[in-house]
Amino acid sequence: MIQHQGVGGPDIVPYDNFRPKEESQAKNQTTDVFYETPLDSAPDASSDFLQLTPSPSLELERSKIPPPVPERKKRHSLILPASMYYEPPTGGVYSAYLDILPATSSELERSKTPPPVPERKKRHSLVSPVSPNLEENKVEEQLQANCNILLLNLGKLVDISGTASSVKPSLCSRCSAALSKINPVLENKTWCCVFCGCENTMQVGTHIENFTEDEICLYDPLPGQAPDDDSLLIFCVDISGSMSVTSEIENDLNLNYITRMEALKTGLLQSLDYLYNQHPKKRVVLITFSDQVMIYGDGTSPPHILDDTELLDPDYLKSCGETQPMPHTLEETLIALKSSIGSLNEMGATALGPAALVSIAMAAQKPGSKVIICTDGRANTYLGNLEDIAEEHAYQSSRLFYTSLSDLALQNSVVVSVLTIEGTDCRLSELGQLADKTGGKVNIVHPLKLAQEFQSILEEEINATDVNVRVYLPSYMYFVYEGHSASILERTIGSTTPDTVLSMEFDIHSSKIEDALRHSQLPVQVQLTFCMQDGRRGHRILTHRRPVTNDCLAALEALNMSVLQIHSAQISARLAIEGRVNEATKVALALKELIAQIMKHEKYEASNDAYDEWENTMSPIYEDLKVYGNSMKRPSEQGNTHVPPVKGFTDEMANMMFHLKQAKNKVMKKLKHQAQ
């Protein structure tokens, strides 16, 4: 049974000397054998449930990235043939599955990282039968990019509306993969793990024929963790002196002006009214920061003021947030909170770091809480200083502070959103980490649109907390861009909303090609553990074994455009945020070529306008990053400590990268609209 993480969390790193540590990256040569495995769950191992509904739930897509060589020879890739896609029969267990995931499909796509070799030899590939109507003498079309991509619609997968078992799954003693119907059962009542090869004892009463490809286990809430509606909403807002700057308001009669503080107050008051009408039981907290941090709480008591040396001690600030009293519901505190907001005045510096720490520590008392940080300038006090960062050790120390702070929020399922005021420089590339890691929003907002942006954040429904995902592949494969060469990937997600999606890329070890060639199908398992809104703990296990093919024409027909677009945005933006700017550009351009290749297919002829819009959306990756990357010196040319490329990001560039990294269908549509 999975326990909630404690409120403690990681140590917060103060603004101090910090020596950056090189992050090791596994360097594995890649090969040209690919697998495509549509991953969705249904109880028939011979079925492919890739086209159940238009939007993906759990999707694996693949393709190939061209190697950096002057000439290209014929390439083969192992993919799922288009003929494998069909709708399952209705009724019985299929209906139960569709009820659980009413708007999902499952599709598998893959890709390949280019091998660093000057020439390419003929590749081996596993062949499965494909459509017989393809002309044998037709020149095989080569895939322009690679993507072994697993796309998980986590927001749908944690939404359990059907019945489930309360029996704990049988896990492998070596790798913790779960027993499923694809595991061979031996005569001595043991089962062999298909991922690590370990032999495990079968539990008494376990019958492999009763397993399905989608196993769901639900457990009652832990003692003392009964479900309640006590999640917090904390407004952590800037009231420093710069909030007195004015903006123009045009109307038919004359030109008026409004200060940022006035716009902030209006936005907060409108948000309170919205919450009072929609969620009167919500518990709302107000925290402000200037050269002091003032904890107003629910407004019914005098504010708790933190200043001077108190703002220098991260342990004290964290303890202060953790021990704050639980606020009353908004229906009891609306008038008091409005009075506190009305009394706010601009003054002093910007102690954003200490205020963010107190806010997140307080929100961590209740998983699923939200913190909204709104500021118009750089943090410029000691803890989390983003103003005086010319020295590399100072910059790294402050960046590490916000990294540690985001880890604290993530471990306690706190969703942090960061809003900055249009026309300001707030070092969003560092501050935005808080939202990026926790699933919150990052945006640059005009002062008059603060209320609209607040409401957009408030409307985001959290449907699960303490979400963790583990993905298993055979030992001859590994996950790309993860800093290791293991075939198991684990991610802590924290909280999810209904449209939370996660993509990841995998590949095959070049040294284990012979092992791969002995198999005609690829086993894949996804395990999700989470806490539902009613307090129950969930463990969902999806296991599939999928056939493969090496026919590129079949691949082009089967590739899912939406999966490629989402993964292209997520992975390229992620690499850029990590400072791997040139790599991000190369990956994005390779996937762009593949998508353009797919667009030539007749079934996409009517979608050219949509493709052009999407291409405009990705222009910061295709163009801006490329120009920026070319202007940056490589670390070896600098001669001294490596300066992360993200340090040179403008707020506008960082904002777009964070948006793309959280790409999903709804976000992509919004970004397309903004790009026009």
Side-chain angles (χ1 to χ4, degrees):
M1 187 174 295
I2 306 301
Q3 304 286 334
H4 268 300
Q5 292 286 348
V7 175
D11 294 333
I12 303 301
V13 181
Y15 180 85
D16 203 348
N17 290 336
F18 171 73
R19 181 172 297 174
K21 182 172 65 175
E22 284 292 332
E23 185 176 324
S24 62
Q25 173 71 33
K27 298 181 180 179
N28 295 292
Q29 287 192 351
T30 59
T31 68
D32 302 309
V33 177
F34 299 112
Y35 292 82
E36 158 145 315
T37 306
L39 239 166
D40 200 322
S41 44
D44 186 354
S46 64
S47 301
D48 238 330
F49 302 101
L50 304 181
Q51 302 278 339
L52 290 179
T53 55
S55 63
S57 160
L58 215 167
E59 308 174 81
L60 210 61
E61 286 220 1
R62 52 107 228 44
S63 81
K64 292 218 44 63
I65 298 178
V69 293
E71 295 182 0
R72 301 179 59 188
K73 298 183 179 181
K74 182 178 179 180
R75 357 181 11 173
H76 297 280
S77 61
L78 298 184
I79 58 172
L80 182 75
S83 58
M84 294 299 295
Y85 293 71
Y86 68 94
E87 291 213 9
T90 57
V93 287
Y94 295 105
S95 297
Y97 175 77
L98 293 174
D99 286 340
I100 293 172
L101 300 178
T104 67
S105 70
S106 127
E107 316 193 36
L108 204 57
E109 227 181 78
R110 3 140 14 21
S111 84
K112 227 121 183 48
T113 322
V117 293
E119 295 182 359
R120 306 186 60 181
K121 299 181 179 180
K122 182 178 180 181
R123 320 180 199 197
H124 298 284
S125 58
L126 302 181
V127 183
S128 293
V130 294
S131 302
N133 57 347
L134 296 177
E135 300 178 12
E136 294 183 359
N137 59 348
K138 191 170 184 178
V139 177
E140 183 178 357
E141 188 171 2
Q142 299 178 11
L143 299 179
Q144 297 301 311
N146 312 296
C147 45
N148 288 319
I149 304 163
L150 176 63
L151 180 64
L152 304 177
N153 192 328
L154 300 177
K156 295 292 192 299
L157 290 170
V158 300
D159 184 13
I160 308 298
S161 57
T163 59
S165 170
S166 59
V167 179
K168 293 183 179 180
S170 298
L171 303 180
C172 174
S173 59
R174 180 185 297 170
C175 70
S176 296
L179 172 63
S180 69
K181 66 182 303 179
I182 71 171
N183 292 101
V185 178
L186 308 179
E187 293 182 358
N188 59 353
K189 298 300 182 181
T190 61
W191 60 277
C192 183
C193 178
V194 296
F195 300 104
C196 71
C198 178
E199 190 172 313
N200 300 273
T201 303
M202 182 83 74
Q203 294 182 3
V204 177
T206 300
H207 301 284
I208 196 71
E209 61 272 11
N210 295 333
F211 282 81
T212 67
E213 292 179 341
D214 183 8
E215 293 289 329
I216 302 173
C217 306
L218 293 179
Y219 315 111
D220 292 334
L222 297 174
Q225 293 188 356
D228 52 40
D229 190 27
D230 282 349
S231 63
L232 308 181
L233 171 64
I234 300 179
F235 288 101
C236 178
V237 297
D238 188 347
I239 61 168
S240 62
S242 58
M243 291 294 286
S244 61
V245 174
T246 59
S247 299
E248 296 180 353
I249 304 177
E250 297 183 7
N251 55 45
D252 296 336
L253 300 178
N254 51 26
L255 186 66
N256 295 323
Y257 295 88
I258 184 173
T259 67
R260 293 172 182 168
M261 176 61 74
E262 292 170 337
L264 174 63
K265 288 182 178 181
T266 300
L268 291 173
L269 294 174
Q270 291 181 12
S271 297
L272 290 181
D273 288 335
Y274 166 79
L275 284 170
Y276 182 78
N277 292 325
Q278 300 295 323
H279 308 284
K281 300 295 184 181
K282 177 62 70 177
R283 301 174 188 273
V284 182
V285 171
L286 176 66
I287 296 178
T288 66
F289 56 91
S290 53
D291 48 7
Q292 301 174 326
V293 173
M294 301 187 69
I295 307 174
Y296 287 88
D298 60 13
T300 59
S301 302
H304 181 178
I305 301 176
L306 301 172
D307 57 10
D308 298 330
T309 57
E310 293 175 320
L311 301 181
L312 308 180
D313 187 347
D315 293 331
Y316 174 78
L317 293 170
K318 183 180 176 184
S319 175
C320 183
E322 293 172 347
T323 56
Q324 287 298 307
M326 185 60 57
H328 296 86
T329 61
L330 186 57
E331 60 185 0
E332 303 173 84
T333 64
L334 178 64
I335 295 177
L337 277 171
K338 284 189 171 183
S339 176
S340 298
I341 292 170
S343 67
L344 299 180
N345 294 300
E346 313 93 327
M347 61 175 182
T350 309
L352 189 157
L357 174 52
V358 171
S359 299
I360 291 173
M362 184 176 182
Q365 299 179 66
K366 294 293 180 180
S369 295
K370 294 182 179 180
V371 174
I372 301 177
I373 298 174
C374 181
T375 184
D376 75 333
R378 298 187 183 189
N380 55 18
T381 59
Y382 177 78
L383 198 63
N385 192 315
L386 293 173
E387 184 73 48
D388 304 318
I389 54 174
E391 296 293 331
E392 183 61 15
H393 74 88
Y395 171 75
Q396 290 291 356
S397 180
S398 289
R399 186 170 177 84
L400 184 59
F401 169 80
Y402 290 105
T403 299
S404 301
L405 199 52
S406 62
D407 289 339
L408 173 65
L410 179 63
Q411 290 181 8
N412 293 281
S413 295
V414 174
V415 178
V416 183
S417 293
V418 176
L419 304 179
T420 65
I421 303 298
E422 193 175 277
T424 63
D425 176 13
C426 303
R427 293 301 311 172
L428 199 54
S429 56
E430 290 74 41
L431 190 59
Q433 291 182 77
L434 297 174
D436 176 52
K437 279 192 176 182
T438 63
K441 289 190 174 183
V442 179
N443 213 356
I444 300 174
V445 187
H446 188 279
L448 297 180
K449 294 185 178 180
L450 279 172
Q452 178 181 341
E453 196 65 28
F454 286 152
Q455 183 171 334
S456 174
I457 295 172
L458 300 179
E459 289 175 347
E460 284 280 318
E461 172 195 356
I462 293 177
N463 61 356
T465 59
D466 200 14
V467 180
N468 186 277
V469 59
R470 284 172 66 95
V471 183
Y472 293 83
L473 294 172
S475 58
Y476 47 80
M477 309 196 81
Y478 70 100
F479 289 92
V480 186
Y481 309 122
E482 299 299 333
H484 61 73
S485 58
S487 60
I488 301 174
L489 178 64
E490 182 169 7
R491 292 275 185 88
T492 299
I493 307 300
S495 299
T496 58
T497 62
D499 59 352
T500 299
V501 296
L502 173 68
S503 73
M504 57 195 74
E505 191 167 330
F506 63 89
D507 210 335
I508 185 169
H509 289 292
S510 58
S511 61
K512 298 181 179 179
I513 181 65
E514 293 184 0
D515 292 340
L517 289 173
R518 284 196 287 267
H519 304 278
S520 61
Q521 292 182 321
L522 171 69
V524 182
Q525 184 173 100
V526 175
Q527 293 190 31
L528 284 170
T529 56
F530 50 93
C531 182
M532 301 173 65
Q533 292 298 88
D534 60 7
R536 289 182 297 168
R537 309 290 307 181
H539 190 173
R540 188 167 193 169
I541 303 166
L542 300 104
T543 311
H544 281 253
R545 189 192 293 276
R546 306 320 266 175
V548 296
T549 186
N550 69 341
D551 189 282
C552 291
L553 292 178
L556 289 174
E557 293 177 0
L559 297 184
N560 181 284
M561 183 73 73
S562 177
V563 171
L564 284 173
Q565 290 178 331
I566 291 174
H567 178 68
S568 175
Q570 286 193 358
I571 189 60
S572 53
R574 173 190 157 191
L575 292 173
I577 291 170
E578 292 175 356
R580 300 153 72 176
V581 174
N582 291 330
E583 191 174 2
T585 306
K586 290 177 182 178
V587 170
L589 290 174
L591 288 169
K592 177 186 176 184
E593 289 185 14
L594 175 60
I595 292 173
Q597 186 179 14
I598 298 173
M599 288 299 298
K600 297 176 183 178
H601 194 282
E602 59 181 9
K603 70 178 181 180
Y604 289 110
E605 286 180 353
S607 305
N608 287 328
D609 291 341
Y611 171 76
D612 292 340
E613 292 177 6
W614 177 80
E615 190 174 13
N616 290 335
T617 299
M618 291 290 291
S619 62
I621 297 287
Y622 298 148
E623 300 170 7
D624 298 352
L625 269 188
K626 186 175 182 180
V627 173
Y628 178 78
N630 291 337
S631 66
M632 294 291 295
K633 291 182 178 180
R634 296 183 178 181
S636 59
E637 297 173 350
Q638 294 174 2
N640 297 317
T641 305
H642 171 48
V643 178
V646 292
K647 189 176 181 181
F649 279 11
T650 64
D651 276 11
E652 289 72 19
M653 182 180 291
N655 184 48
M656 181 58 72
M657 292 301 108
F658 285 126
H659 275 253
L660 290 173
K661 188 168 182 270
Q662 294 186 357
K664 40 198 164 189
N665 287 330
K666 185 168 67 174
V667 171
M668 292 299 289
K669 291 176 182 177
K670 181 178 179 181
L671 288 173
K672 289 175 186 176
H673 178 73
Q674 293 176 347
Q676 289 181 323

